[in-house]
Amino acid sequence: MSVQTCFPTVMTVLDQPETVDSTLAPILPFARATGAHLRALSLGVDATQAGYFVAGATAAIMSDETLQLAREDALEIKSRAEALLEKADISFEVEATITQSAGLGSVISANAHFADLVILPLPYGPNMGSEAPMIAEAALFDGAAPVLVVPNGVDIPNPARRIVIAWNNSAEALSAVRHALGLLKAADEVDILVIDPERGHMSPAEPGADLATWLSRHGVHANISLVPRRLGRVSDEIARHLTDTNADLLVMGAYSHSRLREAIWGGATRDLLAEAKLPILMAH
């Protein structure tokens, strides 16, 4: 079963000339196979902060110089991306945009509003810029689209044959499942993973049972795995289960705790995004 109609418009963000090829590498075959239109945002970022200038320089001069550097970066990224995409046999557009760090979130969210899926590299790694976590957070929280993060050198499965849902009965996890429904329907195996399960006082049902029932009505047969927490971190238990089941995609909600209680990419979300070995589809 194909996933051609799941994500008609996919978006990515290119913020460094040296990572254009690696960011686009997994997206191109996915867009080609699914018939998706790819919208690539070529981003130049002026990372200077107001109040910090070279001695003797005026704010206006510094602003002009740093914005010009950001503009040059955006155009270089655009040129590299278009050269690659013109050979890819897909529908695409590349838009060059510049912004200061303070406005990064609004630029990303505005561009993500009309995407069906945002595909980004893992926001942590030796080649990732300091803006990468901010880009991913803006897309997740304010972009109104699911985000698929893909480790460097890993392909996007199409279709994903074995999908694990990290389930904690949260609104974020349910949102991720709803966005992934087309992928789940195309999968051979779907596993609902519940770490350290506890039955709720108001429901005697097995944890994950309500989700499995709902999915069954959409034609998705899902198994439920109840796993005690043994390894300390929730992310370690999830990673171990992904290996044990030979999964090729993880679906999970982001930030199950209040944003005020977690630093950027805190908790299990942050740990998985730093260490993931397979693509993760997230939503908030």
Side-chain angles (χ1 to χ4, degrees), residues 4 17 58 82 92 95 109 117 120 124 132 135 164 172 179 185 196 202 210 218 224 228-229 246 266 284:
Q4 284 186 304
T58 67
E82 288 179 335
F92 73 90
E95 179 179 342
S109 61
L117 178 68
L120 299 171
Y124 297 102
I135 290 170
V164 170
E172 295 88 353
H179 283 296
K185 289 180 178 180
D196 205 15
M202 301 301 293
D210 289 341
H218 287 273
I224 300 174
R229 185 171 173 176
N246 196 26
H284 177 73

Side-chain angles (χ1 to χ4, degrees), residues 258-279:
S258 165
R259 293 179 73 190
L260 297 177
R261 291 176 53 198
E262 292 188 275
I264 292 178
W265 300 118
T269 307
R270 167 63 173 83
D271 295 335
L272 284 165
L273 289 179
E275 303 162 7
K277 301 296 189 295
L278 51 69

